[in-house]
Amino acid sequence: MKIAVINSGSSSIKFQLFSMPKGEILAHALVEKIGEAGSKSMFEYGGKKINLTDSIKTHHEGLKLINALLKEHHIVEHFSSLDAIAHRVVHGGEYFRDATLLDDDAIEKIRGLIPLAPLHNGANLEGILVSRQKAPNVPQIAVFDTAFHSTMPKEAYLYALPYEMYEKHKIRRYGFHGTSHSFVMKEAAAKMKKSPKELNMITLHLGNGSSACAIKNGVSVDTSMGFTPLEGLMMGTRSGDIDPAIIIYLQRELGFSVDEVDTLLNKRSGLLGVCGDIDLREIQTHDDELSKAAIEMMARRVKKYIGSYAALLSNVGALVFTAGIGENSYTIRAKILQGLETFGIELDEEANEQNLTLISKASSRVKVFVIKTNEELEIARESENLLKRLDII
């Protein structure tokens, strides 16, 4: 079975073609800067890599290019010959708790959620609409970043605001990075030779965007991102948790507009705001006070979430690091875990520095893993399971 996974961004298309159920990658494509003068494309298959600089003006042209490359290199004849096309959609609101077969009703619901994720859902929808045009008879499936967190109890997803704000406007915690948290949870459980339902664990997706997740018996019961991906951990350019009154102060006392506050918190804060850089590898080479402070702030925020989730779960069996920083920075992992022995977390420093998969000591009550995330494969797997449930395959 051949399943294509499409992640359509505002100016990019990420594409992977999987042979299922093995999860073998048959082709990988990336189209960047769509509609811009410097648009470029990359296509990989069978160990070969092709770079193209043709101008790509629209998502339709981008998918047309990918389609042509698949045919030219004898991978598939056409999108219409695929078994399914799966799409990453960031926000599923309260409508979507699982992978969903796309029909007109589902598409209208995704469109209606654009105000909750204006930078993402509109672009995701563009990829869906173009794909349906190119392959109208192929099952199209949406997998939502928020779906994994739909199991959170009411006390976790509600904010302490007037209840009518939730009832009328659906202001609540939704959570994101769900496919990543789900993937590494399953991988960690497999390495422990257990079912996810047998385990409580904390998963840490640490990259330019970062989030923590508390998982109890295989389901998400709390997560750090909230109504939007701005809440929670300190990130590359996002502030994470702040006193909400700061926003009022910025507007009332400093004259900030709504758009200026949005830009400040989402694009000018986090590591960038504190020390002027978002690349942690570079920041760690700097010896100035603010660079050191930025690293300490980031690690401290993660440590606080580990502590709070450990209290929430009572009995934690595993802790998982993933994403760019989580997978690659042994110094940040060590800084985050320092002093957490009271929670049953004992770091094996040598294993950590070697970037091994298991980085906790044999005596550690909590097993600590470093697992490379694969959101596209998780999307393909969820799509395959949906097709089986619906008896389409």
Side-chain angles (χ1 to χ4, degrees), residues 215-288:
I215 299 171
K216 187 170 186 176
N217 301 129
V219 299
S220 171
V221 296
D222 212 327
T223 190
S224 57
M225 284 181 168
F227 182 62
T228 75
L230 180 60
E231 186 181 0
L233 301 174
M234 178 179 173
M235 307 177 218
T237 64
R238 297 177 217 159
S239 65
D241 295 333
I242 63 168
D243 181 345
I246 293 173
I247 297 170
I248 300 169
Y249 183 86
L250 290 171
Q251 293 179 309
R252 180 185 294 159
E253 302 297 329
L254 302 183
F256 275 59
S257 68
V258 171
D259 287 343
E260 286 172 333
V261 171
D262 187 12
T263 298
L264 176 72
L265 297 181
N266 278 292
K267 298 180 179 179
R268 293 176 49 208
S269 297
L271 291 171
L272 180 67
V274 174
C275 71
D277 200 340
I278 63 170
D279 189 332
L280 198 63
R281 294 165 298 184
E282 290 296 320
I283 295 170
Q284 288 179 300
T285 66
H286 299 160
D287 196 37
D288 63 286

Coordinates of all heavy atoms in Angstrom, one line a residue, residues 215-288:
I215 N 1.4 11.7 29.9 CA 0.6 10.6 29.3 C 0.4 9.6 30.4 O 1.3 9.1 31.1 CB 1.4 10.0 28.2 CG1 1.7 11.0 27.1 CG2 0.7 8.8 27.6 CD1 2.6 10.6 26.0
K216 N -0.9 9.2 30.6 CA -1.3 8.2 31.6 C -2.0 7.1 30.9 O -3.0 7.2 30.2 CB -2.3 8.9 32.6 CG -2.6 7.9 33.8 CD -3.3 8.7 34.9 CE -3.5 7.8 36.1 NZ -4.1 8.5 37.2
N217 N -1.4 5.9 31.1 CA -2.0 4.7 30.5 C -2.2 4.9 29.0 O -3.3 4.4 28.5 CB -3.2 4.2 31.2 CG -3.0 4.0 32.7 OD1 -3.7 4.5 33.5 ND2 -2.0 3.2 33.0
G218 N -1.3 5.5 28.3 CA -1.3 5.6 26.9 C -2.1 6.8 26.3 O -2.2 6.9 25.1
V219 N -2.7 7.6 27.2 CA -3.4 8.8 26.6 C -2.9 10.1 27.3 O -2.5 10.1 28.4 CB -5.0 8.6 26.9 CG1 -5.5 7.4 26.2 CG2 -5.3 8.6 28.3
S220 N -3.0 11.2 26.5 CA -2.6 12.5 27.0 C -3.6 13.0 28.0 O -4.8 13.0 27.8 CB -2.6 13.5 25.8 OG -2.4 14.8 26.3
V221 N -3.1 13.4 29.2 CA -3.9 13.9 30.2 C -3.6 15.4 30.5 O -4.3 16.1 31.2 CB -3.9 13.1 31.5 CG1 -4.5 11.7 31.3 CG2 -2.5 13.0 32.1
D222 N -2.5 15.9 30.0 CA -2.1 17.3 30.1 C -1.0 17.6 29.1 O -0.2 16.7 28.8 CB -1.7 17.6 31.5 CG -2.0 19.1 31.9 OD1 -2.0 19.9 31.0 OD2 -2.3 19.3 33.1
T223 N -0.9 18.8 28.7 CA 0.1 19.3 27.8 C 0.4 20.7 28.0 O -0.5 21.5 28.4 CB -0.2 18.9 26.3 OG1 0.9 19.1 25.5 CG2 -1.4 19.7 25.8
S224 N 1.6 21.2 27.6 CA 2.0 22.6 27.9 C 1.4 23.6 27.0 O 1.1 24.7 27.3 CB 3.5 22.7 28.0 OG 4.1 22.2 26.7
M225 N 1.3 23.3 25.7 CA 0.7 24.2 24.7 C -0.8 24.2 25.0 O -1.4 23.3 25.4 CB 1.0 23.8 23.3 CG 2.4 24.1 22.8 SD 2.7 23.7 21.1 CE 4.2 24.5 20.8
G226 N -1.5 25.4 24.7 CA -2.8 25.5 25.0 C -3.8 25.9 23.9 O -4.0 25.1 23.0
F227 N -4.5 27.0 24.1 CA -5.4 27.5 23.0 C -4.7 27.7 21.7 O -5.3 27.5 20.7 CB -6.0 28.8 23.6 CG -7.0 29.4 22.7 CD1 -8.2 28.8 22.4 CD2 -6.8 30.7 22.1 CE1 -9.2 29.4 21.5 CE2 -7.7 31.3 21.3 CZ -8.9 30.6 21.0
T228 N -3.4 28.1 21.8 CA -2.6 28.2 20.7 C -1.2 27.6 21.0 O -1.0 27.3 22.2 CB -2.3 29.7 20.3 OG1 -1.4 30.3 21.2 CG2 -3.6 30.5 20.2
P229 N -0.3 27.5 20.1 CA 1.1 27.0 20.4 C 1.9 27.9 21.1 O 3.1 27.7 21.4 CB 1.6 26.7 19.0 CG 0.5 26.6 18.1 CD -0.5 27.5 18.6
L230 N 1.4 29.1 21.6 CA 2.2 30.1 22.3 C 2.4 29.7 23.7 O 3.4 30.1 24.3 CB 1.5 31.4 22.1 CG 2.2 32.6 22.8 CD1 3.6 32.8 22.3 CD2 1.4 33.9 22.6
E231 N 1.5 29.0 24.3 CA 1.5 28.7 25.8 C 2.6 27.7 26.1 O 2.9 26.9 25.2 CB 0.2 28.3 26.3 CG 0.1 28.1 27.8 CD -1.3 27.5 28.2 OE1 -2.2 27.3 27.4 OE2 -1.4 27.3 29.5
G232 N 3.1 27.7 27.3 CA 3.9 26.6 27.8 C 5.4 26.9 27.9 O 5.8 27.9 28.5
L233 N 6.2 26.1 27.3 CA 7.7 26.2 27.4 C 8.2 27.4 26.6 O 7.6 27.9 25.7 CB 8.4 24.9 26.8 CG 8.0 23.6 27.5 CD1 8.6 22.4 26.8 CD2 8.4 23.6 29.0
M234 N 9.4 27.8 27.1 CA 10.1 28.9 26.3 C 10.6 28.3 25.0 O 11.2 27.2 25.0 CB 11.3 29.4 27.2 CG 12.2 30.4 26.5 SD 13.5 30.8 27.7 CE 14.5 31.9 26.7
M235 N 10.5 29.0 23.9 CA 10.8 28.4 22.6 C 11.8 29.3 21.8 O 12.3 30.2 22.4 CB 9.5 28.2 21.8 CG 8.5 27.4 22.5 SD 6.9 27.2 21.7 CE 5.7 27.3 23.0
G236 N 12.0 29.0 20.6 CA 12.9 29.8 19.8 C 12.6 31.2 19.7 O 13.4 32.1 20.0
T237 N 11.3 31.5 19.3 CA 10.9 32.9 19.2 C 9.6 33.2 20.0 O 9.1 34.3 20.0 CB 10.6 33.3 17.7 OG1 9.5 32.5 17.2 CG2 11.8 33.1 16.9
R238 N 9.0 32.2 20.6 CA 7.8 32.3 21.4 C 8.1 32.4 22.9 O 9.0 31.7 23.4 CB 6.8 31.2 21.1 CG 6.4 31.1 19.7 CD 5.5 29.9 19.5 NE 5.8 29.3 18.2 CZ 5.5 28.0 17.9 NH1 4.9 27.2 18.7 NH2 5.7 27.5 16.7
S239 N 7.3 33.2 23.6 CA 7.6 33.5 25.0 C 7.2 32.3 25.9 O 7.8 32.1 26.9 CB 6.7 34.7 25.4 OG 5.3 34.4 25.3
G240 N 6.2 31.5 25.5 CA 5.7 30.5 26.4 C 5.0 31.2 27.5 O 4.4 32.3 27.3
D241 N 4.8 30.6 28.7 CA 4.0 31.1 29.8 C 4.5 32.5 30.2 O 5.7 32.7 30.5 CB 4.1 30.2 31.0 CG 3.5 28.8 30.7 OD1 2.6 28.7 29.9 OD2 3.9 27.8 31.4
I242 N 3.6 33.4 30.3 CA 3.9 34.7 30.9 C 2.6 35.2 31.7 O 1.5 34.6 31.6 CB 4.2 35.8 29.8 CG1 2.9 36.1 28.9 CG2 5.4 35.5 29.0 CD1 3.0 37.3 28.1
D243 N 2.8 36.2 32.5 CA 1.7 36.8 33.2 C 0.8 37.5 32.2 O 1.2 38.4 31.5 CB 2.2 37.8 34.2 CG 1.1 38.5 35.1 OD1 0.0 38.4 34.7 OD2 1.5 39.2 36.1
P244 N -0.5 37.1 32.1 CA -1.4 37.7 31.1 C -1.5 39.2 31.2 O -1.8 39.9 30.2 CB -2.7 37.1 31.4 CG -2.4 35.8 32.1 CD -1.2 36.1 32.9
A245 N -1.2 39.7 32.4 CA -1.3 41.2 32.6 C -0.2 42.0 31.9 O -0.4 43.2 31.6 CB -1.2 41.5 34.1
I246 N 0.8 41.3 31.5 CA 1.8 41.9 30.7 C 1.2 42.4 29.4 O 1.6 43.5 28.9 CB 3.0 40.9 30.4 CG1 3.8 40.6 31.7 CG2 4.0 41.5 29.3 CD1 4.8 39.5 31.6
I247 N 0.3 41.6 28.8 CA -0.3 42.0 27.5 C -1.1 43.3 27.7 O -1.1 44.3 26.9 CB -1.2 40.9 27.0 CG1 -0.4 39.7 26.7 CG2 -2.0 41.4 25.8 CD1 -1.2 38.4 26.4
I248 N -1.8 43.4 28.8 CA -2.6 44.6 29.2 C -1.7 45.8 29.3 O -1.9 46.9 28.8 CB -3.4 44.4 30.4 CG1 -4.4 43.2 30.2 CG2 -4.2 45.7 30.8 CD1 -5.1 42.7 31.5
Y249 N -0.6 45.6 30.0 CA 0.4 46.6 30.3 C 1.0 47.1 28.9 O 1.1 48.3 28.7 CB 1.5 46.1 31.2 CG 2.5 47.2 31.5 CD1 2.4 48.0 32.6 CD2 3.7 47.3 30.8 CE1 3.3 49.0 32.9 CE2 4.7 48.3 31.1 CZ 4.4 49.1 32.2 OH 5.4 50.1 32.5
L250 N 1.4 46.2 28.1 CA 1.9 46.6 26.8 C 1.0 47.5 26.0 O 1.4 48.4 25.3 CB 2.3 45.3 26.0 CG 3.4 44.5 26.4 CD1 3.5 43.2 25.7 CD2 4.8 45.2 26.3
Q251 N -0.3 47.1 26.0 CA -1.3 47.9 25.3 C -1.7 49.2 25.9 O -1.7 50.3 25.3 CB -2.6 47.0 25.1 CG -2.3 45.8 24.1 CD -3.5 45.0 24.0 OE1 -4.2 44.6 24.9 NE2 -3.9 44.7 22.7
R252 N -1.9 49.2 27.2 CA -2.4 50.3 28.0 C -1.3 51.4 28.2 O -1.4 52.6 28.0 CB -3.0 49.9 29.3 CG -3.5 51.1 30.1 CD -4.0 50.6 31.5 NE -5.2 49.8 31.3 CZ -5.6 48.9 32.2 NH1 -4.9 48.7 33.3 NH2 -6.7 48.2 32.0
E253 N -0.1 50.9 28.6 CA 1.0 51.8 29.0 C 2.0 52.1 27.9 O 2.5 53.2 27.9 CB 1.7 51.2 30.3 CG 0.8 51.0 31.4 CD 0.2 52.2 32.0 OE1 0.8 53.3 31.9 OE2 -1.0 52.1 32.5
L254 N 2.2 51.1 27.1 CA 3.3 51.3 26.0 C 2.7 51.5 24.6 O 3.4 51.7 23.7 CB 4.2 50.1 26.0 CG 4.9 49.8 27.4 CD1 5.9 48.7 27.2 CD2 5.7 51.1 27.9
G255 N 1.4 51.4 24.5 CA 0.7 51.8 23.3 C 0.8 50.7 22.2 O 0.7 51.0 21.0
F256 N 1.1 49.4 22.6 CA 1.2 48.4 21.6 C -0.2 48.1 21.0 O -1.2 48.1 21.7 CB 1.7 47.1 22.2 CG 3.2 47.0 22.3 CD1 3.9 47.9 23.0 CD2 3.9 45.9 21.7 CE1 5.3 47.8 23.1 CE2 5.3 45.8 21.8 CZ 6.0 46.8 22.5
S257 N -0.2 47.8 19.7 CA -1.5 47.4 19.0 C -1.6 45.9 19.2 O -0.6 45.2 19.7 CB -1.4 47.7 17.5 OG -0.5 46.9 16.9
V258 N -2.8 45.3 18.9 CA -3.0 43.9 19.0 C -2.0 43.1 18.1 O -1.3 42.1 18.6 CB -4.4 43.5 18.6 CG1 -4.6 42.0 18.5 CG2 -5.4 44.0 19.6
D259 N -1.8 43.6 16.9 CA -0.8 42.9 16.0 C 0.6 43.0 16.5 O 1.4 42.1 16.4 CB -0.9 43.6 14.6 CG -2.2 43.2 13.9 OD1 -2.8 42.2 14.3 OD2 -2.5 43.8 12.9
E260 N 1.0 44.1 17.1 CA 2.3 44.3 17.7 C 2.6 43.4 18.9 O 3.7 42.8 19.0 CB 2.6 45.8 18.1 CG 2.7 46.7 16.9 CD 2.8 48.2 17.3 OE1 2.2 48.5 18.4 OE2 3.4 49.0 16.6
V261 N 1.5 43.2 19.7 CA 1.7 42.2 20.8 C 1.8 40.8 20.2 O 2.7 40.0 20.7 CB 0.4 42.3 21.7 CG1 0.5 41.1 22.7 CG2 0.4 43.6 22.4
D262 N 1.0 40.5 19.2 CA 1.1 39.1 18.6 C 2.5 38.9 18.1 O 3.1 37.8 18.3 CB 0.1 39.1 17.5 CG -0.1 37.7 16.9 OD1 0.5 36.7 17.4 OD2 -0.7 37.6 15.8
T263 N 3.1 39.9 17.4 CA 4.4 39.7 16.8 C 5.4 39.6 17.9 O 6.4 38.8 17.8 CB 4.7 40.9 15.9 OG1 3.8 41.0 14.8 CG2 6.1 40.8 15.3
L264 N 5.3 40.4 18.9 CA 6.3 40.4 20.0 C 6.3 39.0 20.7 O 7.4 38.4 20.9 CB 5.9 41.4 21.1 CG 6.8 41.4 22.3 CD1 8.2 42.0 22.0 CD2 6.1 42.2 23.4
L265 N 5.2 38.4 21.0 CA 5.1 37.2 21.8 C 5.4 36.0 20.9 O 6.0 35.0 21.4 CB 3.7 37.0 22.4 CG 3.3 38.1 23.4 CD1 2.0 37.8 24.0 CD2 4.4 38.2 24.6
N266 N 5.1 36.0 19.6 CA 5.3 34.8 18.8 C 6.6 34.9 18.0 O 7.1 33.8 17.7 CB 4.1 34.7 17.8 CG 2.9 34.0 18.4 OD1 2.9 32.8 18.7 ND2 1.8 34.8 18.6
K267 N 7.1 36.0 17.6 CA 8.2 36.1 16.7 C 9.4 36.8 17.3 O 10.5 36.7 16.7 CB 7.8 36.8 15.4 CG 6.7 36.1 14.7 CD 6.3 36.8 13.4 CE 5.2 36.0 12.7 NZ 4.8 36.7 11.4
R268 N 9.3 37.5 18.4 CA 10.4 38.3 18.9 C 10.8 37.9 20.3 O 11.7 38.6 20.9 CB 10.1 39.8 18.8 CG 10.0 40.3 17.4 CD 9.6 41.8 17.4 NE 10.4 42.6 18.3 CZ 10.0 43.7 18.9 NH1 8.8 44.1 18.7 NH2 10.8 44.4 19.7
S269 N 10.2 36.9 20.9 CA 10.5 36.5 22.3 C 11.3 35.2 22.3 O 12.0 34.9 21.4 CB 9.1 36.4 23.0 OG 8.5 37.7 23.0
G270 N 11.1 34.5 23.4 CA 11.8 33.2 23.6 C 13.3 33.4 23.6 O 13.8 34.4 24.1
L271 N 14.1 32.5 23.1 CA 15.5 32.6 23.0 C 16.0 33.8 22.3 O 16.9 34.5 22.7 CB 16.1 31.3 22.3 CG 16.0 30.0 23.1 CD1 16.5 28.9 22.2 CD2 16.9 30.0 24.3
L272 N 15.3 34.1 21.2 CA 15.6 35.3 20.3 C 15.5 36.6 21.1 O 16.4 37.4 21.1 CB 14.7 35.3 19.1 CG 15.0 36.5 18.2 CD1 16.4 36.4 17.5 CD2 13.9 36.6 17.1
G273 N 14.4 36.7 21.9 CA 14.2 37.9 22.6 C 15.2 38.1 23.8 O 15.6 39.2 24.0
V274 N 15.6 37.0 24.4 CA 16.5 37.1 25.5 C 17.9 37.4 25.1 O 18.6 38.3 25.6 CB 16.4 35.9 26.5 CG1 17.5 36.0 27.6 CG2 15.0 35.8 27.1
C275 N 18.4 36.6 24.1 CA 19.8 36.7 23.8 C 20.1 37.1 22.3 O 21.3 37.1 21.9 CB 20.6 35.4 24.2 SG 20.2 34.0 23.2
G276 N 19.1 37.2 21.5 CA 19.3 37.6 20.1 C 19.6 36.5 19.1 O 19.9 36.8 18.0
D277 N 19.4 35.3 19.5 CA 19.7 34.2 18.6 C 18.7 33.0 18.9 O 18.2 32.9 20.1 CB 21.1 33.7 18.9 CG 21.6 32.9 17.7 OD1 20.8 32.4 16.9 OD2 22.9 32.7 17.5
I278 N 18.3 32.2 17.9 CA 17.5 31.1 18.1 C 18.2 29.7 18.0 O 17.6 28.7 18.3 CB 16.2 31.1 17.2 CG1 16.7 31.0 15.7 CG2 15.4 32.4 17.4 CD1 15.5 30.8 14.8
D279 N 19.4 29.8 17.5 CA 20.1 28.5 17.2 C 20.9 28.2 18.5 O 21.9 28.8 18.9 CB 21.1 28.7 16.1 CG 21.8 27.4 15.6 OD1 21.9 26.5 16.5 OD2 22.2 27.3 14.5
L280 N 20.4 27.1 19.2 CA 21.0 26.8 20.5 C 22.4 26.4 20.4 O 23.2 26.6 21.3 CB 20.1 25.6 21.1 CG 20.3 25.4 22.6 CD1 19.8 26.6 23.4 CD2 19.6 24.1 23.0
R281 N 22.8 25.8 19.2 CA 24.2 25.4 19.0 C 25.1 26.6 19.1 O 26.2 26.6 19.7 CB 24.4 24.7 17.7 CG 23.7 23.3 17.6 CD 23.5 22.8 16.2 NE 22.7 23.7 15.4 CZ 22.4 23.5 14.1 NH1 22.8 22.4 13.6 NH2 21.7 24.3 13.4
E282 N 24.6 27.7 18.5 CA 25.4 29.0 18.5 C 25.4 29.6 19.9 O 26.4 30.1 20.4 CB 24.8 30.0 17.5 CG 25.1 29.6 16.0 CD 26.6 29.6 15.7 OE1 27.3 30.5 16.2 OE2 27.0 28.6 15.0
I283 N 24.2 29.6 20.5 CA 24.0 30.3 21.8 C 25.0 29.6 22.8 O 25.6 30.3 23.7 CB 22.6 30.1 22.3 CG1 21.7 30.9 21.4 CG2 22.4 30.7 23.7 CD1 20.2 30.7 21.6
Q284 N 25.2 28.3 22.7 CA 26.0 27.6 23.7 C 27.5 27.9 23.5 O 28.3 27.7 24.5 CB 25.8 26.1 23.6 CG 24.4 25.6 24.1 CD 24.2 24.1 24.0 OE1 24.3 23.6 22.8 NE2 24.1 23.4 25.1
T285 N 27.9 28.5 22.4 CA 29.3 28.9 22.2 C 29.6 30.3 22.7 O 30.7 30.7 22.8 CB 29.7 28.8 20.7 OG1 28.9 29.8 20.0 CG2 29.4 27.4 20.1
H286 N 28.5 31.0 23.0 CA 28.7 32.4 23.5 C 28.9 32.4 25.0 O 28.4 31.6 25.8 CB 27.4 33.2 23.2 CG 27.1 33.3 21.7 ND1 25.9 33.6 21.2 CD2 27.9 33.1 20.6 CE1 25.9 33.6 19.9 NE2 27.2 33.3 19.5
D287 N 29.7 33.4 25.4 CA 30.1 33.5 26.8 C 29.5 34.7 27.5 O 29.8 35.0 28.7 CB 31.6 33.6 26.9 CG 32.1 33.3 28.3 OD1 31.6 32.4 29.0 OD2 33.1 34.0 28.8
D288 N 28.5 35.3 26.9 CA 27.9 36.5 27.5 C 26.8 36.1 28.4 O 26.3 35.0 28.4 CB 27.4 37.4 26.4 CG 26.3 36.8 25.6 OD1 26.6 35.9 24.8 OD2 25.1 37.1 25.8

